[in-house]
Amino acid sequence: MREFVKYLSPFVLILFLISFTLNKNKTNTSEINLSYTVNFKSDSLKNKLIGLKWAMSYLGANLPRGSFNAAITNTTNNSFTINFSKLGFNPEALGVIYQLTDSLKKSSEYAFKKNIDVGEFIALTIGVSETYYKITGVKKTLSEFKKHYAFNNNLKFAVLNSTVAFHNRIVYLSDDSIINKQAYIAEESDGLILDKKFTAEVFETFDIMENGQLRFAVYNKNGDLISSSKNSLGKAGKPAKCLWCHEIVISPLFKETPDVPNFISKKQFSDLVKMRMNSLNAYRKTLNSDIDFTKTQEHTQMELLYISYMEPSLNRLSQEWNMPIGTLKKLLKNKQLHKHEEFKFFGDLYNRNDYLNMAPYALNSIPLSVREEIEK
């Protein structure tokens, strides 16, 4: 560079040095360093990468065959780099991801560690509904969603006994069998259908993305996007909880529910869901993707990533903070322990939000819950 610089005029030299400095300091927002810890007996880097791959798919990445492995570089014993530009995201989604990576790279946590945890990244994307909406490109209003798909009153089903709603639900199916025209709306209310007092307060929707994954959104009674369904109406929660419950399927009925006049019957509904699930499976088989939809439990690796981050064990914190377990026990002696209701093998766990000020570095702000909307 010195040999080149000596031939430049002073003015050009100044411009060159400014440009060189800016480019040198410019953050490469297309990639980020992610760290990981081994949390339990069967845990491994391989499983963590499987979980991250499913997270990218849930966010809408097309993941052409071989793209995920090509996007992972600089693998060490506790971190790796991922390049999002190689995963098959559309330009709009990449723009949102680049804004997030730029923000994270400027955080105190990243400055201290030179990375963020892979579970933290999932918590900040899939676990933050507004970010999930922007990356996946959901319709901004319920009106837009309805206009995009063909809905009519002939394909609506009354759910009097729901595993999700505390009261009743009305499910609308789009009137089209083509994969990219299939969509669903579940209306929630505290009024009962048979009493003719059902007035929808929340609308939970999903459609199917180009990569074969389901895409979820929740709207209020005004048709505006909201982060979660109302806790008072049921257990639907945030889009991340929809993903956990639906996994990769258009869910069938789990409870017996009676037929209601002016609605399609339980048999008609079940037959339609089965037929559409078969067509979705057939579509997924045509995709030249890194996601193997026949491996129906692989998505669990993604859930283990964000759960173990949001609810860390003492062993995990010891690795993260590079602190002896004995010292940590004394530091956290007043913090309540619990066990995860679904994954008991995690052992005794803490809630990360309980000790944000105790870490040896400033932690990034994370949601109170990935799946549930928790009122402050």
Side-chain angles (χ1 to χ4, degrees):
M1 177 176 169
R2 290 178 181 175
E3 292 299 315
F4 171 71
V5 167
K6 70 181 182 180
Y7 291 107
L8 298 177
S9 69
F11 178 72
V12 174
L13 176 59
I14 291 172
L15 291 178
F16 173 79
L17 290 175
I18 291 173
S19 176
F20 178 79
T21 302
L22 288 174
N23 287 328
K24 183 179 179 181
N25 295 328
K26 187 177 180 181
T27 301
N28 182 359
T29 55
S30 67
E31 61 183 34
I32 196 169
N33 298 330
L34 299 177
S35 59
Y36 64 93
T37 57
V38 177
N39 304 306
F40 46 90
K41 189 174 180 180
S42 61
D43 204 5
S44 66
L45 173 59
K46 178 182 176 182
N47 285 339
K48 292 181 186 300
L49 291 177
I50 289 173
L52 179 60
K53 178 174 66 177
W54 274 83
M56 296 300 99
S57 182
Y58 279 146
L59 288 171
N62 285 331
L63 293 168
R65 186 84 66 186
S67 63
F68 186 77
N69 286 342
I72 303 297
T73 56
N74 303 325
T75 303
T76 68
N77 62 350
N78 70 345
S79 69
F80 56 87
T81 302
I82 182 168
N83 189 322
F84 300 102
S85 68
K86 297 183 178 182
L87 299 178
F89 281 108
N90 64 44
E92 292 77 16
L94 282 177
V96 179
I97 292 172
Y98 290 172
Q99 287 180 351
L100 177 62
T101 57
D102 183 56
S103 175
L104 289 172
K105 285 184 172 183
K106 292 175 180 176
S107 69
S108 299
E109 181 176 342
Y110 203 89
F112 185 89
K113 295 171 52 185
K114 308 305 179 188
N115 57 57
I116 67 162
D117 188 85
V118 59
E120 178 182 2
F121 186 79
I122 294 172
L124 292 172
T125 49
I126 289 177
V128 177
S129 300
E130 292 77 10
T131 304
Y132 169 83
Y133 292 153
K134 290 177 182 178
I135 295 174
T136 58
V138 304
K139 300 302 180 187
K140 293 181 180 180
T141 65
L142 181 64
S143 177
E144 288 181 51
F145 186 83
K146 287 181 175 180
K147 285 179 181 177
H148 190 77
Y149 299 103
F151 287 99
N152 64 60
N153 283 330
N154 296 325
L155 283 178
K156 63 178 181 178
F157 178 63
V159 187
L160 300 190
N161 300 319
S162 171
T163 54
V164 177
F166 292 151
H167 308 284
N168 293 168
R169 241 181 172 193
I170 296 178
V171 178
Y172 289 83
L173 295 79
S174 62
D175 191 14
D176 204 315
S177 59
I178 300 173
I179 287 297
N180 63 3
K181 289 295 183 181
Q182 289 183 21
Y184 306 80
I185 300 173
E187 295 183 350
E188 302 260 12
S189 170
D190 57 6
L192 301 180
I193 295 170
L194 295 180
D195 291 344
K196 297 183 179 180
K197 293 182 178 180
F198 187 98
T199 301
E201 295 183 42
V202 169
F203 302 82
E204 299 139 8
T205 73
F206 75 86
D207 56 358
I208 300 166
M209 294 187 284
E210 183 183 338
N211 68 355
Q213 294 286 16
L214 308 182
R215 171 174 50 195
F216 297 90
V218 186
Y219 302 89
N220 63 18
K221 61 184 177 182
N222 297 321
D224 300 319
L225 275 173
I226 53 177
S227 63
S228 169
S229 189
K230 283 185 176 182
N231 293 333
S232 61
L233 294 177
K235 300 181 287 185
K238 299 163 74 171
K241 191 173 185 181
C242 301
L243 289 169
W244 165 72
C245 190
H246 280 263
E247 301 172 349
I248 55 173
V249 300
I250 305 168
S251 291
L253 294 171
F254 293 105
K255 276 187 177 181
E256 284 296 320
T257 188
D259 291 342
V260 178
N262 302 317
F263 292 85
I264 62 174
S265 68
K266 180 178 65 176
K267 184 180 186 308
Q268 287 174 306
F269 177 78
S270 297
D271 287 347
L272 279 169
V273 167
K274 184 177 180 180
M275 180 183 69
R276 293 187 179 194
M277 192 65 232
N278 288 337
S279 66
L280 178 56
N281 285 333
Y283 171 75
R284 286 168 171 169
K285 288 178 182 178
T286 68
L287 302 174
N288 185 29
S289 167
D290 275 338
I291 292 293
D292 185 348
F293 286 97
T294 66
K295 295 181 178 179
T296 56
Q297 293 305 308
E298 278 197 344
H299 68 88
T300 303
Q301 298 300 331
M302 180 201 75
E303 287 143 14
L304 295 178
L305 286 175
Y306 70 70
I307 291 170
S308 63
Y309 178 76
M310 298 292 291
E311 303 173 50
S313 65
L314 200 63
N315 176 56
R316 180 193 170 99
L317 287 177
S318 177
Q319 294 179 65
E320 277 189 39
W321 295 1
N322 193 26
M323 190 179 294
I325 287 180
T327 304
L328 266 176
K329 278 185 176 180
K330 292 179 181 178
L331 182 65
L332 301 172
K333 64 180 180 179
N334 295 323
K335 298 300 179 183
Q336 189 174 357
L337 288 165
H338 68 277
K339 293 190 185 296
H340 195 271
E341 60 181 1
E342 188 179 359
F343 302 110
K344 305 293 185 184
F345 58 80
F346 275 141
D348 292 330
L349 303 174
Y350 296 92
N351 287 315
R352 185 172 292 271
N353 274 295
D354 286 348
Y355 58 77
L356 291 178
N357 297 325
M358 294 184 177
Y361 46 84
L363 293 172
N364 293 318
S365 177
I366 56 174
L368 293 176
S369 171
V370 168
R371 295 178 183 174
E372 311 288 351
E373 183 65 16
I374 300 177
E375 296 179 2
K376 295 183 179 180

